Amino acid sequence: SENIFEDGSPRGFKLDFKFGTNPFFSNAVLTKTYYMLPEDDGVLEKAEGTKIEWQAGKDVTVKVRVRWGVWSWRAYT
């Protein structure tokens, strides 16, 4: 992890997740950056993450519909 500083004071932090070759996505590193509000309450302002480069057919955020018969459908995530 790495602290993010603005005007000498901590403003958030960044986490790097490192991956080897895998069948799901091509990114070697996924980064999530958290920005905190300037108050001392530790309140999250926003978070940003690396866009995941999914391998073909491996995106777990997409629903797949499978047709079982003429009138029946089932959705899988």
Side-chain angles (χ1 to χ4, degrees), residues 8-75:
S9 61
R11 180 86 161 105
F13 58 96
K14 177 172 75 168
L15 300 174
D16 292 324
F17 300 93
K18 298 176 183 180
F19 296 88
T21 303
N22 67 76
F24 298 100
F25 51 88
S26 60
N27 306 70
V29 177
L30 295 176
T31 301
K32 188 76 170 189
T33 306
Y34 298 90
Y35 298 93
M36 310 305 281
L37 290 174
E39 296 85 29
D40 292 331
D41 297 336
V43 177
L44 180 66
E45 179 180 4
K46 67 179 179 175
E48 297 174 342
T50 304
K51 181 180 183 319
I52 298 175
E53 301 296 330
W54 295 102
Q55 301 288 4
K58 299 293 185 173
D59 187 342
V60 299
T61 66
V62 174
K63 287 188 176 184
V64 177
R65 294 179 73 179
V66 177
R67 187 172 185 172
W68 288 22
V70 176
W71 301 105
S72 62
W73 290 87
R74 182 148 186 191

